[in-house]
Amino acid sequence: MSNIVVGSAPDSWGVWFPDDPQQTPYTRFLDEVAASGYEWIELGPFGYLPTDPTQLLDELGERGLQLSAGTVFEHLHQDNSWDAVWTQIEDVAKLTAAVGGKHVVVIPEMWRDPATGDVLEDRDLTDEQWRKKTEGMDELGKAMFEKYGVRAQYHPHADSHVDTEENIYRFLENTDGEFVNLCLDTGHVSYCGGDNLAIIRNHPERIGYLHLKQVDEAVRAKVAADDLPFGEAVRLGAMTEPPRGIPEMPPLLEAVADLDVDIFAIVEQDMYPCSPDAPLPIAQRTQKYLGSCGVPAVRFR
């Protein structure tokens, strides 16, 4: 029987950067995520939570929390990118492993600035760039696992080169499932017009991790019509708490339960920027809702 272990992340508290005066202080995040009924969390942007393993373990232990994964971005399709990407990966992987985490969520960097909408590079990769990205991820996943014992879970992202269902399939079909699998972010897939259930059906063996979020369909339609950058979409409320958006959670959780795997499902509702008082009640409602979906595999411990 599957175990879908649900947790939360700094993103659901409006945290996008290591240090930003608009963001909730990390101690308040830790207090509130524990008060919401979650036990498992992610690191969020490297440097937001303490980077000293002893201090981080103390902070987590005081609140009965554990770490499921770290998070980092990559741009391996670019020339001479390995050293810069590996330096960031190594910092995150080392800390994640030191405090007991087993996964690192790897996200493709965006082709346009999420805040300004400035186009940073072409929105489509060439065949050669695809080769560099997929082969680079295989090497990265292998190195992460062999050196630190953590698994690479690749996270498709809006306004990146691995965004649509088609591009997700292309990525999966050109990477090695021994070292790279999929962090299925239900919100980003729906935001980009994809079908989460189809991805699960077509590549069940590659579903290694989940980010749970929903998308407001009205905001998504406006984003598509006006070609808005992701940051503006988030400020408009593109990502919403369940069950107010898509995809529907019960069928998705049931499909994952049918995979007969143990998997983390981290609630990750993009909310930057947000009032410091907004996240806690949303997190509490979301935890209660997910527990009421009628899927026995869902648990929070």
Side-chain angles (χ1 to χ4, degrees):
M1 179 181 176
S2 296
N3 285 302
I4 302 173
V5 182
V6 180
S8 193
D11 192 35
S12 293
W13 267 257
V15 175
W16 278 13
F17 304 100
D19 184 29
D20 187 309
Q22 296 187 84
Q23 296 178 167
T24 300
Y26 85 82
T27 51
R28 180 171 178 177
F29 159 67
L30 293 175
D31 289 342
E32 292 189 352
V33 75
S36 301
Y38 298 107
E39 181 176 315
W40 293 89
I41 65 164
E42 291 182 349
L43 279 180
F46 186 76
Y48 174 65
L49 294 180
T51 56
D52 175 75
T54 301
Q55 182 186 357
L56 181 55
L57 280 170
D58 287 345
E59 295 278 14
L60 297 176
E62 287 176 8
R63 299 165 175 87
L65 298 173
Q66 299 185 70
L67 187 80
S68 63
T71 307
V72 70
F73 285 80
E74 64 82 19
H75 54 275
L76 291 166
H77 62 283
Q78 297 178 6
D79 292 335
N80 304 313
S81 58
W82 175 267
D83 288 346
V85 173
W86 176 247
T87 297
Q88 296 178 68
I89 290 283
E90 194 160 32
D91 286 341
V92 172
K94 187 186 301 183
L95 179 60
T96 298
V99 298
K102 299 297 184 185
H103 305 276
V104 171
V105 176
V106 183
I107 305 172
E109 290 186 3
M110 288 177 271
W111 53 262
R112 65 177 166 186
D113 188 287
T116 66
D118 291 344
V119 174
L120 307 175
E121 57 183 326
D122 195 291
R123 68 171 69 196
D124 296 310
L125 296 180
T126 65
D127 288 345
E128 175 63 12
Q129 287 174 317
W130 268 107
R131 185 192 64 77
K132 288 179 181 177
K133 183 176 288 291
T134 53
E135 290 183 0
M137 270 307 306
D138 280 345
E139 293 177 28
L140 198 68
K142 186 173 188 289
M144 287 165 51
F145 183 69
E146 290 181 345
K147 188 164 186 180
Y148 296 106
V150 294
R151 293 285 185 186
Q153 306 293 348
Y154 200 79
H155 178 309
H157 198 286
D159 282 3
S160 83
H161 296 110
V162 187
D163 50 357
T164 62
E165 187 175 341
E166 177 184 5
N167 284 338
I168 292 169
Y169 292 148
R170 182 170 184 175
F171 177 85
L172 292 176
E173 289 159 7
N174 288 279
T175 49
D176 184 351
E178 183 177 359
F179 295 111
V180 182
N181 279 305
L182 184 67
C183 171
L184 183 68
D185 186 297
T186 63
H188 282 274
V189 169
S190 291
Y191 180 94
C192 296
D195 183 336
N196 284 278
L197 292 177
I199 294 171
I200 295 170
R201 286 194 304 270
N202 289 328
H203 287 283
E205 78 289 352
R206 301 297 295 276
I207 308 300
Y209 200 89
L210 298 175
H211 277 174
L212 300 179
K213 62 165 70 85
Q214 285 191 329
V215 178
D216 183 302
E217 292 185 89
V219 176
R220 186 180 73 132
K222 177 175 176 57
V223 167
D226 298 342
D227 193 26
L228 300 178
F230 183 67
E232 185 172 350
V234 169
R235 289 191 291 274
L236 291 172
M239 302 304 175
T240 188
E241 66 178 281
R244 299 178 180 178
I246 59 169
E248 290 185 60
M249 284 291 139
L252 189 142
L253 293 169
E254 289 167 1
V256 173
D258 287 342
L259 299 178
D260 195 25
V261 295
D262 292 339
I263 192 167
F264 285 109
I266 302 300
V267 177
E268 200 213 29
Q269 182 183 341
D270 295 304
M271 292 178 62
Y272 181 87
C274 68
S275 162
D277 295 327
L280 177 58
I282 293 174
Q284 291 171 326
R285 291 193 298 267
T286 300
Q287 196 267 5
K288 184 177 180 180
Y289 169 74
L290 292 171
S292 73
C293 284
V295 180
V298 170
R299 61 186 183 88
F300 298 92
R301 302 291 180 195

